[in-house]
Amino acid sequence: MKGICLLFLVTVSVFGLIGECSGDALKNNFYKKSCRNAEKIVKNVTETLTAAEPDVAADLLRLHYHDCFVRGCDASILLDTAGADPSEKKARPNLSLQGFDAIDTIKSEVEAACPEIVSCADILALAARDAVSFQFNKSMWDVFTGRKDGRVSLSSEVTGNLPSPFSNFTTLQQLFALKGLTVKDLVALSGAHTIGVSHCGAFGRRLANFSVNNDIDPSLDAAYAQTLRSQCSNPPDPATTVEMDPQNSLNFDTNYFLILTQKKGLFQSDAALLTNSASAKLVKQFQRQKDFFTQFANSMKKMGAIQVLTGSPGEIRKQCRVVN
């Protein structure tokens, strides 16, 4: 079958949707014949970059997530603005994204070995996996390949597709369902917040004048809120960042789910996971490493297949920042 892997949205319940792929299926080791060492090159360069800058793991994981939720996993997040309409990376939720230079470095190495063969979308998916896996010295999930790169990137399409750090549970559930992802996927993928940092503006409203009744968000531990206040000015300084997983932001582990139960989730969207009985139960379950790692792997594979381009609508970009 040729064409785009679309999400055929079949309503199952008020929140339930099923995604069905109508295009060419992604496959294991897609480049085995066309560029046999492609995945090895991506892995080697990614590991070198991550060893030098451990923050790269969080950067690439977040970049992959922001890509897949808008237009699917087509590397549209990597495109610079061309023409009058700003690209996705110019949308407010994407202004703090990093990792673009890392992808450029990896792409140049792959292009040197196999010109115009390996897509930026596949490189991003592989690099996100390899950067997170670096600390474990083994691949933490399978990445099937064969994606094409998209030719369209619009900042106007980010709102309404990408969940916000201010989202409540209902909004999160609805947005994930529209991508064919379940509550279990939502909670597992939120576990990515165990690594990386956030700018104060993404949670600053929880620290002062939160509501007419509360100065501080009552779903946030009061002592932790004071710690955050000491780190973030009011109004927030755009340059200031805070660890998403306090004292543990470089280790991919289950600590995020522990701090959630201590009311130390940084974002309102983190705290929201405790407001639903099913997701709250999963928060406790994923404190067990085996359960979290297994489900995170499954959820990353599902997310990495959202609306992929596998046929003529896509291309293989020579440079990830511009269409050919």
Side-chain angles (χ1 to χ4, degrees), residues 91-103:
R92 186 174 181 179
N94 293 333
L95 292 177
S96 61
L97 288 178
Q98 299 186 61
F100 298 104
D101 290 342
I103 294 298

Side-chain angles (χ1 to χ4, degrees), residues 96-112:
S96 61
L97 288 178
Q98 299 186 61
F100 298 104
D101 290 342
I103 294 298
D104 290 340
T105 298
I106 300 166
K107 175 65 170 176
S108 65
E109 292 292 327
V110 174
E111 282 293 299

Side-chain angles (χ1 to χ4, degrees), residues 50 53-66 97-99 128 131-132 192-197 244 249-250 252:
T50 307
E53 295 287 344
D55 289 343
V56 166
D59 294 341
L60 294 180
L61 188 58
R62 187 178 177 215
L63 203 56
H64 183 37
Y65 165 75
H66 280 233
L97 288 178
Q98 299 186 61
V132 173
H193 291 171
T194 194
I195 55 174
V197 299
M244 290 193 287
S249 64
L250 293 178
F252 190 86

Side-chain angles (χ1 to χ4, degrees), residues 204-218 220 225-226 229 234:
R205 68 172 64 171
R206 304 183 74 192
L207 306 180
N209 302 316
F210 179 72
S211 69
V212 293
N213 298 318
N214 297 285
D215 189 37
I216 295 174
D217 184 349
L220 187 64
Q226 293 301 331
R229 272 183 158 184
N234 184 21

Side-chain angles (χ1 to χ4, degrees), residues 205-257:
R205 68 172 64 171
R206 304 183 74 192
L207 306 180
N209 302 316
F210 179 72
S211 69
V212 293
N213 298 318
N214 297 285
D215 189 37
I216 295 174
D217 184 349
S219 67
L220 187 64
D221 177 80
Y224 181 48
Q226 293 301 331
T227 298
L228 293 174
R229 272 183 158 184
S230 70
Q231 296 173 281
C232 296
S233 60
N234 184 21
D237 181 348
T240 304
T241 59
V242 171
E243 290 181 292
M244 290 193 287
D245 188 345
Q247 313 302 315
N248 196 51
S249 64
L250 293 178
N251 295 314
F252 190 86
D253 56 26
T254 62
N255 198 59
Y256 165 80
F257 298 104

Side-chain angles (χ1 to χ4, degrees), residues 2 18 22 45 88 95 106 187 194 198 205 208 216 235 246 284 299:
K2 303 292 183 181
I18 294 175
S22 67
V45 179
E88 288 173 32
L95 292 177
I106 300 166
V187 179
T194 194
S198 170
R205 68 172 64 171
I216 295 174
K284 291 183 179 181
S299 297

Side-chain angles (χ1 to χ4, degrees), residues 10-243:
V10 182
T11 303
V12 177
S13 64
V14 65
F15 296 125
L17 296 167
I18 294 175
E20 181 180 340
C21 175
S22 67
D24 293 339
L26 301 178
K27 60 185 68 175
N28 185 42
N29 206 358
F30 177 84
Y31 300 103
K32 184 177 181 179
K33 294 181 179 180
S34 59
C35 184
R36 190 169 72 176
N37 292 323
E39 294 190 19
K40 183 177 180 180
I41 295 170
V42 173
K43 182 175 183 290
N44 289 343
V45 179
T46 301
E47 289 184 344
T48 298
L49 295 171
T50 307
E53 295 287 344
D55 289 343
V56 166
D59 294 341
L60 294 180
L61 188 58
R62 187 178 177 215
L63 203 56
H64 183 37
Y65 165 75
H66 280 233
D67 180 44
C68 290
F69 266 73
V70 182
R71 287 191 164 265
C73 309
D74 66 345
S76 54
I77 189 64
L78 304 179
L79 288 171
D80 290 336
T81 297
D85 297 319
S87 65
E88 288 173 32
K89 63 172 65 173
K90 293 298 184 180
R92 186 174 181 179
N94 293 333
L95 292 177
S96 61
L97 288 178
Q98 299 186 61
F100 298 104
D101 290 342
I103 294 298
D104 290 340
T105 298
I106 300 166
K107 175 65 170 176
S108 65
E109 292 292 327
V110 174
E111 282 293 299
C114 308
E116 300 177 50
I117 297 293
V118 183
S119 70
C120 297
D122 278 342
I123 288 174
L124 179 53
L126 289 165
R129 188 270 312 273
D130 293 337
V132 173
S133 299
F134 176 67
Q135 75 176 83
F136 302 100
N137 199 30
K138 66 176 183 180
S139 293
M140 297 300 289
W141 64 89
D142 294 328
V143 174
F144 292 164
T145 45
R147 300 167 186 79
K148 292 286 189 70
D149 297 323
R151 299 185 178 96
V152 177
S153 181
L154 299 170
S155 65
S156 60
E157 295 184 344
V158 174
T159 301
N161 278 299
L162 191 67
S164 160
F166 311 109
S167 297
N168 60 29
F169 181 80
T170 299
T171 299
L172 291 170
Q173 187 178 26
Q174 289 174 331
L175 288 174
F176 271 68
L178 286 170
K179 307 302 177 184
L181 300 173
T182 66
V183 170
K184 186 174 285 188
D185 297 317
L186 163 61
V187 179
L189 292 173
S190 295
H193 291 171
T194 194
I195 55 174
V197 299
S198 170
H199 291 269
C200 294
F203 58 88
R205 68 172 64 171
R206 304 183 74 192
L207 306 180
N209 302 316
F210 179 72
S211 69
V212 293
N213 298 318
N214 297 285
D215 189 37
I216 295 174
D217 184 349
S219 67
L220 187 64
D221 177 80
Y224 181 48
Q226 293 301 331
T227 298
L228 293 174
R229 272 183 158 184
S230 70
Q231 296 173 281
C232 296
S233 60
N234 184 21
D237 181 348
T240 304
T241 59
V242 171
E243 290 181 292

